[in-house]
Amino acid sequence: MGEITLTKIKKSFGAVDVLKDIDLDIKDGEFIVFVGPSGCGKSTLLRTIAGLEKVTGGEIEIDGKRVNEVSAADRGLAMVFQSYALYPHMSVRQNLAFGLENSSMPKAEVAERITEAARMLEIEAYLERRPGQLSGGQRQRVAIGRAIVRRPTAFLLDEPLSNLDAELRVSTRAELAALHARLGSTMIYVTHDQVEAMTLAHRIVVMRAGKIEQVGTPLDLYNTPANRFVAGFIGAPHMNFLAGEVADLETGTATLATAGGHRLLVPFSGHSLSVGEKLTIGIRPQHITLANDPGSLKVKVRLVEALGSETVIHADLNGEKLLAVVPGQKLISPGDETYLSVAGAPLHLFDRNGLRVKGS
Amino acid sequence: MSTTSLTDRLGSLLMAPVHLLMRIIDIPLRAVQKTAGIGGMAAVFLAPNMLIFGIFVLLPLVINFVYSMTGGTAFFLSERNFIGAEQYQRLFTCTNYLDPMSCQEDAFWTAVGNTFWFVILQVALMIGLSLITALILNRDLAARSFWRAVFFFPVLLSPVVVGLIWKWILQRQGLLNFGLYQFGIEPYTWLTDRNWTFIATIGVSIWAHMGLYTLILLAGLQAIPKDLYEAAEMDGTKPARVFRRITLPLLAPNLLVVVVLALIKAVQIFDEVYVLTGGGPGTSTLYLTQYIYETGFASTLRNPGLAAAASILMGLVLVVLTLIQLGIGQRGEKKGKR
Amino acid sequence: MGVASRFILRRRGGKSWHWTDIVTWVWLVGGLIIMFGPAVWLAFSSFKTPAALAEFPPSILPYVTSQATVQGYDKPLQLFEAKMPDGSTKVLAEVRRIGLVAQMVDPTTPGEIVRVNIGDRTPVRSVSFATENYTTPFTQFDFLRYLWNSVFVTVTATLITLIVNSMAAFALSKYEFRGRSLAMLIILATLMVPLSVIMVPLYSIISSLGLFNNLWGVILPTVATPTGVFILRQYMLTIPDELIDAARMDKASEWQIYWRIVLPLTAPALAVLAIFSVVWRWNDFLWPLIVLSRRELYTLQVGLSIYSGELNVQWHFILAMTVVTMIPVVLVFIFLQRFITTGIAGTGLK
Ligand SMILES: Nc1ncnc2c1ncn2[C@@H]1O[C@H](COP(=O)(O)OP(=O)(O)OP(=O)(O)O)[C@@H](O)[C@H]1O
Ligand SMILES: [Mg+2]
């Protein structure tokens, strides 16, 4: 079992409030990913769940039991640290055994669990080596192994892949997913990297400045971000934001005017908009296409990044920046004037407070 | 790789009882941790050191003042009578303030005077010699660490050994007289001559300690970026000028620290002198620490209160020197930050 | 040899000898002689018999005059090389001396007495190490006791120092608690409190604890060294906090974290402190001199200084015991010198 419930979690270091009223239900076996900008409190939240930090307020429950006063050792969780935190003076085997020995497990069972975990992670070959004699990727596996042998109710992972090179990251990511599928236990995973978040998570928790901005499946967040922050944070490159104004409202459609007099039609079925209201319009760069019809957006090209399979165009639309990612290779160069089309692109509307406009 | 070496196995065998002991200690401490929490364990870890420290350093520091205001020959405070500032008065009672012999405690003022001249001469000479040695060791030498070790060797010797080594050399049939005899100079009893003993204590303490300061200065010299010298060489700057304009200014913070450190040590000179001369002949090499020791413990007319008063005065000098040192350290840090 | 020749041949820049090369050379060789010479001289002297020690001019190596038992004489007689009237030389044993004339016999023909002018004879000498200088103090004086006391004080004090200081350093580097900066401040402020300032009250504390004339009275005041706490704390600050968190997740108690994780990782700093502590405690003099007044409790340093201060100084024993006292420090110097020098250069502390 690995059900974790957070209710109104608060944490402050002296006068600084780092976590503000965090509410979260994590289901058993779920893969939850915390994302958010640096310093937003992801690690702190993870460490309060682990029991390494005491909460200032609120309740933490594991499988229905309040654990606020339970020490880290007795919460039955395991953690994988960003720097791996392997004990440098112990061999890999001793690293794995340390936690088990501390709970006075019989020697035979310790050995058995180590063998099993080592086989699973393919680290049998260097069980007798010290962490200093391992490569970064190997160390990373050992760190995961140290968590696995404990058979915890939940795994807590704080940016476990951030010290690996790009290639290793991708393969380890896949292995982590496989591992989760195999173990079936709850995992809480902190990362900066949204590709990791998107590929691994059942649900993503987007945090900002000690608050949860949105919780949802990766595609939920991508398709219907709850606010401008989440919209901008999820997806790469970032979503384009254009200032706009409601020009006309009809049943089922809203007409928006952008700077420069362009008009965009958006399907709309709510009642929350009024004509003349100022809005922010979000368009994902991937949804913009090149066009040669003068009816679309006329832009000036500032920079072109040809990546081979796709081309990234940095453009200027009446003083506003617009980024487009178009498939294939395009003969276009900085200084050119061209037309970009957003026809058929899903447009995201955000009101003055940055919240998603209901019904859009 | 996986074969455990013999030393490893021997080590783990030796450590086995230690591990067992640690495990036993762990049992009550786990209980403490349960009740006091992780933060409470900090107090547990700090306690033994602070306890010993409090009893044997802080407490004496405080009751020293009480001692200096009590009289009698008893050591237990309860058996001593309060006399106020009398001990200090006694130290400062003189008919002529320019002549130590006119003071009631002439031995104290003799010791102060001796210590003063000792400190001045010893520190000046020693730092000078250390600086020269450090400069020489900083040259492009083969086997530099060997030469560094040569000068460092006496630093580790015990003061008693140092005293005895030199007592043996300076005695009538000693090596020094033998050396001089080769040049036709008659053997002399150096350690019965007031002036020569004073000089000998300075020389011996320089011999014993200069290696330490050489080492610190050498570290300072090696921290000076080499490109500065290369730049100066490119400009055709004369070596003497390079020394005055580059080496000395950059070494100055180190040099100051070393001087103050040497001053602090020199004020407390005792062990090697006590063994070499016993403070004599007469009072020619009686220094402050020996005066405090003898007043407090050794003489038949012991007066712990007076010794305490003298030690507080000495402590004041050391506090001033330490503050200077801290001040220098802070200034250096600020400079480093900028 | 290579090093020596490279050193001798090294010059400043060009081909000729610059004056600074000469100064360097003179200074270093002079330093070598002055720094090592006295100790070496002492070590050589420690093997001489009292008679040889009293000789002037002294010889470098320990010589003894040869003796022989000659038939018809109870005591062994001293051997001399005598110049005979015919110009030849002969080894003779001296029977007695009257004025300027010595009565001598040839050991091979003990019957006849030969008279030799004392100016015409020189003693027959051979190199011989007076090892009884070393054995006698151990067997007939208390020096074995002193040696044991010194070893006991040094080892015990060092062990306690390492444990107590490392525990304090652990608390001061890895925990947040109220009063932490105060504790640090006190430790830093007393870094410089020398014994000479507090010896009177310290003595009274020691005696009221019943530790006067007790080796523990020597040990305890020295073990809570601020220097040690300082060095260890600086080192422990470099151990990542995540490691300690990891151990906490691994169900380790704080005590286990201390001895299974932090202590092993602090080994290099502990080694430096251990070396320093051994040298300090071995060399301590003034405080043991105050605390120990019973002969059987003296440490080597105290015993040596007391014996050497006596009216009839038995230099041959003193010299030998000085060498014994020097040995551990010389060993430390030979094997661990690099440790110490880098330690001092790094911290500026001794
Ligand atoms: N022990 C502490 N004392 C005081 N402030 C702290 C402490 N630990 C963290 N903080 C502060 O809390 C905030 C959140 O820190 P946290 O480490 O949780 O951020 P994060 O989201 O994990 O960032 P990153 O992605 O860079 O790891 C930061 O502003 C940090 O400065
Ligand atoms: Mg973090």
Side-chain angles (χ1 to χ4, degrees):
Chain A
M1 292 298 285
E3 216 174 81
I4 298 171
T5 312
L6 309 179
T7 322
K8 296 235 170 307
I9 295 293
K10 290 192 206 36
K11 172 73 191 173
S12 30
F13 291 110
V16 190
D17 295 330
V18 176
L19 298 178
K20 301 158 194 162
D21 291 328
I22 302 279
D23 286 304
L24 188 64
D25 275 313
I26 300 168
K27 292 193 274 300
D28 182 34
E30 200 173 14
F31 201 124
I32 285 271
V33 174
F34 295 170
V35 292
S38 190
C40 70
K42 306 179 295 285
S43 299
T44 308
L45 182 56
L46 200 69
R47 289 166 56 82
T48 56
I49 296 173
L52 294 170
E53 303 276 5
K54 276 220 163 72
V55 292
T56 323
E59 309 245 316
I60 305 174
E61 285 169 33
I62 299 178
D63 292 334
K65 272 189 270 343
R66 190 184 130 98
V67 293
N68 281 34
E69 271 71 46
V70 177
S71 70
D74 300 326
R75 290 194 186 183
L77 309 174
M79 188 151 170
V80 177
F81 293 86
Q82 180 172 3
S83 65
Y84 312 142
L86 297 177
Y87 312 121
H89 57 300
M90 298 185 191
S91 69
V92 169
R93 183 188 293 284
Q94 288 167 326
N95 263 283
L96 298 186
F98 187 65
L100 302 179
E101 283 166 0
N102 288 340
S103 43
S104 34
M105 181 180 286
K107 278 206 166 114
E109 194 179 347
V110 172
E112 188 186 318
R113 285 202 188 184
I114 291 175
T115 322
E116 188 194 329
R119 186 150 8 95
M120 200 188 300
L121 294 166
E122 296 168 11
I123 53 174
E124 297 122 308
Y126 31 84
L127 274 179
E128 306 309 328
R129 285 201 218 162
R130 298 251 168 116
Q133 302 162 314
L134 301 179
S135 73
Q138 293 168 334
R139 265 180 240 178
Q140 215 279 331
R141 285 157 180 279
V142 175
I144 292 175
R146 188 170 63 176
I148 287 178
V149 291
R150 298 266 317 279
R151 306 225 172 118
T153 42
F155 289 88
L156 311 176
L157 304 101
D158 192 352
E159 310 198 23
L161 306 185
S162 63
N163 282 338
L164 301 181
D165 62 45
E167 205 173 320
L168 208 52
R169 251 165 123 143
V170 174
S171 60
T172 315
R173 201 172 71 205
E175 283 171 29
L176 258 178
L179 192 72
H180 176 252
R182 178 167 174 182
L183 296 172
S185 36
T186 311
M187 289 195 175
I188 307 177
Y189 187 106
V190 170
T191 183
H192 263 118
D193 183 320
Q194 41 167 306
V195 181
E196 263 170 41
M198 300 295 280
T199 51
L200 287 172
H202 291 157
R203 283 195 297 158
I204 296 179
V205 177
V206 182
M207 292 180 64
R208 173 163 66 148
K211 284 204 189 104
I212 293 183
E213 294 283 322
Q214 190 176 2
V215 183
T217 64
L219 292 183
D220 269 352
L221 299 190
Y222 189 82
N223 294 333
T224 52
N227 53 42
R228 236 193 100 156
F229 175 76
V230 176
F233 196 80
I234 302 289
H238 294 319
M239 189 183 270
N240 294 298
F241 293 109
L242 301 175
E245 197 183 302
V246 181
D248 192 16
L249 276 174
E250 284 165 36
T251 35
T253 321
T255 310
L256 307 175
T258 64
H262 296 285
R263 291 187 160 243
L264 303 173
L265 294 182
V266 193
F268 176 72
S269 59
H271 306 283
S272 47
L273 287 182
S274 50
V275 174
E277 189 176 341
K278 296 234 186 303
L279 292 174
T280 306
I281 306 158
I283 314 158
R284 296 217 179 266
Q286 291 83 354
H287 295 147
I288 302 179
T289 50
L290 277 174
N292 26 22
D293 111 63
S296 35
L297 307 173
K298 185 179 177 194
V299 295
K300 190 166 176 120
V301 176
R302 291 257 171 261
L303 178 68
V304 177
E305 295 168 322
L307 301 178
S309 67
E310 55 188 26
T311 307
V312 182
I313 302 165
H314 297 250
D316 184 310
L317 169 70
N318 302 314
E320 284 185 297
K321 273 190 212 148
L322 201 60
L323 199 69
V325 177
V326 294
Q329 306 177 356
K330 304 290 175 207
L331 283 175
I332 226 171
S333 47
D336 291 357
E337 293 205 335
T338 183
Y339 294 96
L340 294 176
S341 163
V342 295
L347 299 183
H348 305 266
L349 304 187
F350 302 101
D351 64 18
R352 213 168 304 160
N353 301 322
L355 296 178
R356 182 176 192 85
V357 173
K358 285 203 190 79
S360 66
Chain B
M1 186 101 299
S2 61
T3 52
T4 44
S5 69
L6 191 66
T7 50
D8 275 3
R9 241 179 287 166
L10 199 70
S12 60
L13 204 67
L14 284 174
M15 287 304 285
V18 179
H19 278 272
L20 188 68
L21 179 71
M22 291 294 183
R23 209 164 286 177
I24 292 168
I25 295 175
D26 192 34
I27 295 165
L29 283 182
R30 257 180 206 267
V32 173
Q33 190 179 331
K34 268 256 154 59
T35 51
I38 284 176
M41 289 303 287
V44 173
F45 283 114
L46 206 53
N49 196 71
M50 282 320 203
L51 196 71
I52 297 175
F53 194 62
I55 295 176
F56 297 111
V57 180
L58 291 187
L59 188 61
L61 213 52
V62 173
I63 63 176
N64 208 8
F65 289 96
V66 185
Y67 261 97
S68 71
M69 286 187 258
T70 54
T73 57
F75 266 106
F76 289 101
L77 266 182
S78 51
E79 296 162 24
R80 300 178 59 80
N81 52 319
F82 185 80
I83 53 167
E86 220 171 88
Q87 305 284 19
Y88 294 96
Q89 265 168 13
R90 178 164 173 190
L91 285 179
F92 284 100
T93 305
C94 298
T95 45
N96 174 3
Y97 279 94
L98 293 177
D99 177 16
M101 298 319 277
S102 75
C103 297
Q104 190 180 354
E105 270 302 304
D106 54 334
F108 173 71
W109 289 104
T110 311
V112 169
N114 286 345
T115 309
F116 178 79
W117 288 115
F118 174 86
V119 167
I120 301 275
L121 293 171
Q122 195 252 9
V123 173
L125 282 171
M126 180 169 68
I127 299 302
L129 290 174
S130 298
L131 181 59
I132 296 174
T133 312
L135 285 170
I136 284 178
L137 290 180
N138 194 38
R139 298 187 78 213
D140 184 20
L141 284 184
R144 182 192 289 144
S145 50
F146 166 77
W147 292 108
R148 190 178 60 182
V150 165
F151 288 90
F152 186 72
F153 168 70
V155 175
L156 292 180
L157 293 180
S158 91
V160 173
V161 167
V162 168
L164 288 175
I165 286 177
W166 284 96
K167 197 171 177 176
W168 180 240
I169 285 174
L170 295 175
Q171 51 116 11
R172 200 174 177 288
Q173 292 99 335
L175 193 61
L176 178 65
N177 279 335
F178 176 52
L180 295 175
Y181 178 77
Q182 309 296 316
F183 299 98
I185 299 171
E186 279 299 297
Y188 186 67
T189 49
W190 304 99
L191 291 176
T192 57
D193 181 309
R194 298 181 67 92
N195 296 327
W196 280 115
T197 4
F198 181 70
I199 293 169
T201 58
I202 291 175
V204 169
S205 72
I206 291 177
W207 178 81
H209 300 297
M210 72 173 274
L212 176 67
Y213 303 98
T214 303
L215 201 69
I216 301 176
L217 287 177
L218 181 61
L221 283 176
Q222 289 180 337
I224 299 176
K226 292 276 165 295
D227 46 1
L228 287 182
Y229 291 108
E230 280 157 16
E233 203 172 330
M234 298 291 287
D235 296 344
T237 319
K238 288 229 171 62
R241 203 174 145 75
V242 171
F243 177 74
R244 254 187 319 120
R245 303 307 294 268
I246 297 177
T247 311
L248 217 45
L250 287 174
L251 195 63
N254 266 297
L255 208 53
L256 272 171
V257 168
V258 158
V259 167
V260 179
L261 206 64
L263 285 172
I264 291 173
K265 293 251 153 135
V267 171
Q268 304 169 43
I269 182 78
F270 172 75
D271 300 6
E272 53 264 53
V273 172
Y274 185 74
V275 173
L276 184 67
T277 70
T283 55
S284 59
T285 55
L286 175 70
Y287 298 121
L288 254 180
T289 300
Q290 189 179 342
Y291 168 80
I292 297 170
Y293 166 67
E294 285 180 346
T295 312
F297 303 95
S299 64
T300 42
L301 292 169
R302 69 169 186 221
N303 185 346
L306 193 64
S311 73
I312 286 175
L313 294 180
M314 175 165 157
L316 285 180
V317 174
L318 293 175
V319 165
V320 171
L321 288 174
T322 308
L323 287 180
I324 293 175
Q325 191 192 28
L326 287 179
I328 296 169
Q330 224 129 62
R331 227 182 45 194
E333 247 167 53
K334 266 189 214 136
K335 251 191 206 158
K337 271 190 193 127
R338 239 183 271 143
Chain C
M1 222 47 239
V3 170
S5 64
R6 246 192 304 149
F7 161 66
I8 291 168
L9 296 176
R10 185 182 297 271
R11 269 152 245 168
R12 184 177 180 281
K15 289 187 186 82
S16 67
W17 282 68
H18 190 264
W19 66 268
T20 53
D21 296 313
I22 297 165
V23 170
T24 300
W25 201 84
V26 168
W27 193 272
L28 290 180
V29 172
L32 185 68
I33 293 167
I34 291 174
M35 293 295 156
F36 279 141
V40 172
W41 174 249
L42 182 102
F44 276 123
S45 302
S46 75
F47 288 103
K48 290 182 181 174
T49 59
L53 285 177
E55 233 170 56
F56 191 87
S59 59
I60 289 177
L61 289 174
Y63 287 107
V64 287
T65 49
S66 307
Q67 293 182 328
T69 24
V70 183
Q71 227 175 13
Y73 298 92
D74 302 339
K75 288 185 186 155
L77 302 177
Q78 208 177 338
L79 291 178
F80 286 86
E81 196 158 90
K83 206 184 279 168
M84 301 315 276
D86 58 5
S88 68
T89 57
K90 210 170 182 182
V91 174
L92 297 176
E94 182 172 284
V95 179
R96 67 175 74 82
R97 200 182 116 187
I98 304 162
L100 293 175
V101 181
Q103 297 187 354
M104 311 189 93
V105 287
D106 192 332
T108 47
T109 52
E112 70 188 81
I113 298 265
V114 189
R115 283 161 206 279
V116 181
N117 207 323
I118 59 166
D120 291 338
R121 79 205 205 317
T122 48
V124 175
R125 309 199 307 171
S126 59
V127 173
S128 158
F129 293 93
T131 47
E132 63 274 14
N133 290 353
Y134 285 82
T135 51
T136 316
F138 282 138
T139 52
Q140 287 169 29
F141 298 86
D142 279 340
F143 270 91
L144 200 59
R145 186 89 233 164
Y146 304 163
L147 179 65
W148 162 246
N149 290 341
S150 272
V151 169
F152 177 76
V153 167
T154 304
V155 171
T156 317
T158 299
L159 282 180
I160 300 180
T161 301
L162 291 180
I163 294 170
V164 167
N165 285 6
S166 63
M167 279 169 67
F170 176 46
L172 290 172
S173 61
K174 292 295 169 205
Y175 290 93
E176 298 272 353
F177 57 92
R178 260 188 307 130
R180 186 173 88 161
S181 23
L182 181 71
M184 267 320 287
L185 195 75
I186 292 175
I187 285 175
L188 278 179
T190 47
L191 214 51
M192 282 295 175
V193 176
L195 176 66
S196 32
V197 173
I198 55 169
M199 67 186 160
V200 175
L202 188 56
Y203 174 83
S204 80
I205 287 170
I206 287 292
S207 24
S208 39
L209 291 175
L211 294 177
F212 178 66
N213 263 332
N214 185 325
L215 290 180
W216 287 100
V218 176
I219 294 169
L220 285 178
T222 61
V223 295
T225 54
T227 320
V229 177
F230 192 71
I231 294 178
L232 294 179
R233 177 175 177 267
Q234 292 305 96
Y235 195 87
M236 285 182 189
L237 285 176
T238 64
I239 298 177
D241 291 344
E242 274 198 350
L243 224 48
I244 287 158
D245 286 337
R248 286 195 183 130
M249 294 299 289
D250 267 346
K251 289 172 173 281
S253 68
E254 298 303 296
W255 178 256
Q256 272 182 310
I257 292 176
Y258 162 71
W259 69 270
R260 299 264 334 248
I261 310 288
V262 173
L263 267 198
L265 293 178
T266 316
L270 285 172
V272 170
L273 179 60
I275 297 167
F276 276 119
S277 175
V278 164
V279 174
W280 288 334
R281 299 294 82 88
W282 184 262
N283 289 349
D284 269 345
F285 173 60
L286 175 57
W287 186 241
L289 182 70
I290 292 172
V291 175
L292 308 173
S293 74
R294 290 223 313 267
R295 273 187 181 246
E296 68 269 24
L297 289 173
Y298 287 168
T299 58
L300 270 182
Q301 313 288 346
V302 177
L304 262 183
S305 100
I306 300 273
Y307 273 102
S308 73
E310 278 174 353
L311 269 183
N312 272 321
V313 185
Q314 294 185 292
W315 268 111
H316 51 298
F317 294 146
I318 296 292
L319 294 177
M321 290 304 101
T322 308
V323 171
V324 170
T325 311
M326 227 159 59
I327 286 172
V329 168
V330 170
L331 289 181
V332 164
F333 175 76
I334 292 173
F335 294 108
L336 304 169
Q337 183 262 130
R338 199 168 280 265
F339 251 113
I340 300 177
T341 45
T342 48
I344 290 177
T347 58
L349 295 167
K350 189 214 153 189

